Amino acid sequence: MTGRPVTAETMPGLPVEQTAIPHPAVREWNGETYYDLASLKPSPFDWKIAAYVYVAGLAGSSQIIATLADRLGDGRDETIVRNGRALALAGAVIGAPLLILDLKTPGRFYNMLRIYRTRSPMSFGSYILTGFGVASGLTAAAHLIGERRADGSRSPMRRAADMTQVPAAFLGAGMSTYTAALLSATSTPLWASAPRAMAVQFGTSAMATAAAALSLGEQIAGDPENSRRLDGLAAVSAAGELVASAFAEKRHHEAGVGETLRKGPIGTSYRAGALALGLGVPLACHAINALSKRPSRGLSVVGSLALLAGGMVMRQAIFQAGNKSAERPDDYFRLTQREPEGAKPRRRVDRAIEGRRNGRDPGRLP
């Protein structure tokens, strides 16, 4: 007997006992802050970025609707295809200047495309916007030059437009949702607390506003049947946005960071403008029309205009409330006590440590 303790070091054959690692999220925050000073600086994003998010979503989803109408529809959907492609191009033309104006040095905007960073939503968002603008421009130009012939056949230029619309539609899906990732990747408590719900909220709102804008175009063109179908798509998307908004509010409540979006002038504008006007009014108008034997043109127009206005109010309110939450140290410290939503460790060693934290079989640590 040597008197040495029997451990894994003295006896290499013994199994190593791995103790549980406490997760930082289980520590309770006692309410202490640093002299009630803000721990974060509000983002520099103002109304220009909020307007860009709105325009980008509307343009991206318009391209998706136009592509689906072209591939799945017939000659009656020609105005939807043309208007959708035009809206997509207009969104790219309007959105790019809004982003450039928000840069600290607008004259050096080209630096955004000089380096591609896979983990930076702002970097890959710049590429999505550029690719979407190029593809949408080619699609709209080819469509304008090669309009469908009177006999229904398609000219070579129209076929070229039908080819370029496919990548434009894929990039349009990115335009509709990547802005939520852009906000969620920041440390702003309100934005970082519900990344998945906000992505669905932005995506469904983009589809609803695009369908509403195209429905107005069909009303102007005098095609109530196309308008009715677009109103149906807008209503379904608005219902999805309502559900996503409820999930986002639930996440904000659980994280204790939703007060800036519930109270004060911002909360009032969000509830009255985004929820009541932007979702309640259109759902009621389109529901009445769907149940009526003679749908009202006025209700269709009111519902579409309310959706378009509500989408803008929703984004402006979320931006303002997010910046307010960054000024509140309580919101920041509450959020840091929670495990980030959707954060999956990539490295093997991180996955093993995460398993030990959650009480699962840790496996062998390297």
Side-chain angles (χ1 to χ4, degrees), residues 266-292:
I266 299 175
T268 302
S269 68
Y270 181 72
R271 291 193 302 274
L275 299 182
L277 173 67
L279 297 178
V281 171
L283 285 173
C285 291
H286 295 328
I288 293 172
N289 268 350
L291 297 174
S292 175

Side-chain angles (χ1 to χ4, degrees), residues 6-194:
V6 179
T7 63
E9 295 179 353
T10 57
M11 300 290 290
L14 288 179
V16 178
E17 182 181 355
Q18 296 173 342
T19 57
I21 300 175
H23 196 284
V26 304
R27 293 179 301 180
E28 293 294 334
W29 176 56
N30 60 7
E32 183 179 2
T33 64
Y34 186 74
Y35 298 103
D36 288 332
L37 296 177
S39 302
L40 300 173
K41 289 179 66 177
S43 77
F45 302 153
D46 57 11
W47 68 268
K48 294 188 289 294
I49 298 300
Y52 166 74
V53 172
Y54 176 77
V55 170
L58 196 156
S61 292
S62 294
Q63 188 67 265
I64 295 173
I65 295 173
T67 301
L68 292 176
D70 181 68
R71 303 311 302 172
L72 304 177
D74 51 29
R76 295 173 297 176
D77 301 315
E78 189 64 14
T79 54
I80 298 178
V81 177
R82 181 173 57 247
N83 293 341
R85 290 172 174 175
L87 271 179
L89 175 60
V93 170
I94 296 172
L98 288 172
L99 280 185
I100 292 172
L101 286 173
D102 190 70
L103 294 175
K104 189 174 181 180
T105 51
R108 298 179 181 176
F109 70 92
Y110 49 82
N111 284 333
M112 295 296 294
L113 301 175
R114 190 167 57 86
I115 299 175
Y116 177 68
R117 296 183 175 88
T118 57
R119 304 189 70 173
S120 168
M122 185 172 291
S123 178
F124 67 70
S126 302
Y127 280 88
I128 288 176
L129 173 60
T130 303
F132 177 77
V134 171
S136 297
L138 292 174
T139 303
H143 183 111
L144 181 64
I145 297 172
E147 284 275 8
R148 181 177 288 192
R149 295 165 178 164
D151 59 358
S153 62
R154 303 191 178 205
S155 67
M157 290 304 293
R158 179 58 190 270
R159 292 194 185 95
D162 296 344
M163 291 176 61
T164 55
Q165 72 176 347
V166 177
F170 276 108
L171 292 167
M175 291 281 286
S176 301
T177 55
Y178 94 88
T179 49
L182 175 69
L183 301 183
S184 303
T186 67
S187 299
T188 302
L190 185 77
W191 301 339
S193 61

Side-chain angles (χ1 to χ4, degrees), residues 133-328:
V134 171
S136 297
L138 292 174
T139 303
H143 183 111
L144 181 64
I145 297 172
E147 284 275 8
R148 181 177 288 192
R149 295 165 178 164
D151 59 358
S153 62
R154 303 191 178 205
S155 67
M157 290 304 293
R158 179 58 190 270
R159 292 194 185 95
D162 296 344
M163 291 176 61
T164 55
Q165 72 176 347
V166 177
F170 276 108
L171 292 167
M175 291 281 286
S176 301
T177 55
Y178 94 88
T179 49
L182 175 69
L183 301 183
S184 303
T186 67
S187 299
T188 302
L190 185 77
W191 301 339
S193 61
R196 292 173 177 169
M198 189 160 65
V200 178
Q201 190 178 10
F202 278 21
T204 50
S205 174
M207 184 59 70
T209 52
L214 292 173
S215 174
L216 287 175
E218 295 303 313
Q219 289 288 1
I220 295 172
D223 192 333
E225 178 59 24
N226 278 352
S227 180
R228 184 186 63 79
R229 289 188 292 159
L230 289 166
D231 287 345
L233 175 60
V236 171
S237 302
E241 182 188 347
L242 186 62
V243 174
S245 302
F247 272 106
E249 187 169 347
K250 179 174 179 290
R251 290 289 302 171
H252 297 156
H253 178 72
E254 291 172 349
V257 299
E259 188 172 331
T260 55
L261 195 59
R262 292 195 307 268
K263 298 182 178 179
I266 299 175
T268 302
S269 68
Y270 181 72
R271 291 193 302 274
L275 299 182
L277 173 67
L279 297 178
V281 171
L283 285 173
C285 291
H286 295 328
I288 293 172
N289 268 350
L291 297 174
S292 175
K293 293 182 180 179
R294 299 183 61 183
S296 166
R297 182 174 183 269
L299 285 177
S300 173
V301 171
V302 169
S304 298
L305 291 175
L307 262 174
L308 290 170
M312 176 63 85
V313 173
M314 182 266 285
R315 287 164 177 82
Q316 294 287 351
I318 287 179
F319 268 75
Q320 294 176 17
N323 283 333
K324 283 286 184 184
S325 73
E327 297 174 347
R328 295 161 54 94

